[in-house]
Amino acid sequence: MSSSSPRGLLRILCVHGYRQSGAVFRDRTGALRKALKKHAELVYISAPLRIGELRQPGPALADSQATDAVPPQEEDARGWWFSNAQEQTFNAGEVCDSSLGLEESLEEVRRAVREQGPFDGVLGFSQGAALVAMLCALQESGQEAGLGFRFALLVAGFRSLCVAHARFYTPQPLAMPTLHVFGDADRVIPAPLSQDLLSVFHSPQVVTHPGGHYIPAGAAQKRAYIQFLEQFLSKGAVGSS
């Protein structure tokens, strides 16, 4: 069953980070939802892969790329794929031959589009942003044309180092309009990793902030989000018909 957004707002599918869920991501993006309330409706989904017992990170792990910094008390922790299939864990800096769970996650996105769509765009955070970049590649190649996204917002994104994911990063830059947001002080996904993702897209727009691993929603970022989204509102939102 398809959905429409009130007052013709843009409808944006939101893809959370590792060790989060749709509900957790919604809670943590309250400031963003408030900033965009006159422009967009944000729809949240959860990854299909449940993460097992959460281990307390040791001193060396705490500042690494192994977690999206969700406190260990989070019960419904999920991920979009595992870089270590045996341990069923994920680390953005881990090189792996194959990933576990990506196909299930792609099917979850397809289901969300079928049942809750259509969507004008898609927003991803951290591991979710890496997945969004893959979705853009699949849509543009015609393999997932049914997604129908017109734009993407990628916050703390990165290229997956999984060898099996190399197919998503072709020499030809993607034409999908994108807004990339990352923090200069991000110790989970350091800024150079997010900068590396820019070359995947033809004309990426970039917003940086001095903070860490979160989605900023201050005055400067709000202006950038709205300016980016208004170009699509001017052409009509899926909920405006």
Side-chain angles (χ1 to χ4, degrees):
M1 179 182 298
S2 62
S3 302
S4 61
S5 182
R7 303 185 306 279
L9 301 180
L10 294 170
R11 303 192 74 244
I12 301 177
L13 181 66
C14 298
V15 185
H16 63 77
Y18 185 64
R19 288 189 175 176
Q20 292 186 340
S21 67
V24 169
F25 194 35
R26 187 180 190 281
D27 286 345
R28 296 187 176 198
T29 52
L32 179 69
R33 286 187 285 110
K34 182 178 180 180
L36 301 182
K37 65 181 180 180
K38 295 182 180 180
H39 297 80
E41 175 192 10
L42 305 186
V43 180
Y44 297 79
I45 61 171
S46 292
L49 307 180
R50 291 183 180 274
I51 298 171
E53 179 182 359
L54 299 183
R55 303 178 180 86
Q56 287 278 8
L61 185 60
D63 294 337
S64 75
Q65 303 159 13
T67 170
D68 276 358
V70 176
Q73 65 267 23
E74 300 289 5
E75 295 181 357
D76 191 22
R78 296 170 180 254
W80 299 102
W81 74 89
F82 296 125
S83 56
N84 187 322
Q86 183 175 358
E87 297 290 335
Q88 295 194 3
T89 59
F90 172 74
N91 185 321
E94 181 175 31
V95 177
C96 56
D97 292 328
S98 62
S99 65
L100 175 66
L102 180 64
E103 291 306 317
E104 291 89 336
S105 292
L106 293 176
E107 180 54 37
E108 184 65 23
V109 173
R110 296 184 194 107
R111 185 193 64 77
V113 171
R114 288 195 307 268
E115 298 181 3
Q116 301 181 67
F119 296 101
D120 294 283
V122 58
L123 178 153
F125 173 65
S126 199
Q127 191 191 41
L131 178 65
V132 165
M134 299 178 195
L135 294 172
C136 292
L138 289 172
Q139 177 177 308
E140 198 153 315
S141 69
Q143 298 177 65
E144 296 288 348
L147 296 177
F149 300 135
R150 295 194 288 155
F151 60 85
L153 298 95
L154 302 97
V155 183
F158 58 92
R159 290 182 189 235
S160 170
L161 296 180
C162 177
V163 174
H165 298 170
R167 62 190 177 99
F168 299 111
Y169 310 115
T170 62
Q172 182 66 31
L174 302 177
M176 174 74 75
T178 53
L179 178 66
H180 300 250
V181 183
F182 48 90
D184 296 332
D186 193 332
R187 296 185 297 178
V188 178
I189 305 297
L193 295 184
S194 293
Q195 291 168 346
D196 183 54
L197 185 63
L198 299 179
S199 63
V200 173
F201 298 91
H202 183 265
S203 299
Q205 296 186 37
V206 180
V207 173
T208 61
H209 62 95
H213 198 62
Y214 59 85
I215 298 183
Q221 294 87 35
K222 178 181 177 179
R223 286 194 299 270
Y225 297 143
I226 291 175
Q227 183 178 18
F228 178 75
L229 294 177
E230 280 182 340
Q231 63 185 308
F232 304 100
L233 269 172
S234 67
K235 300 174 184 177
V238 293
S240 61
S241 57

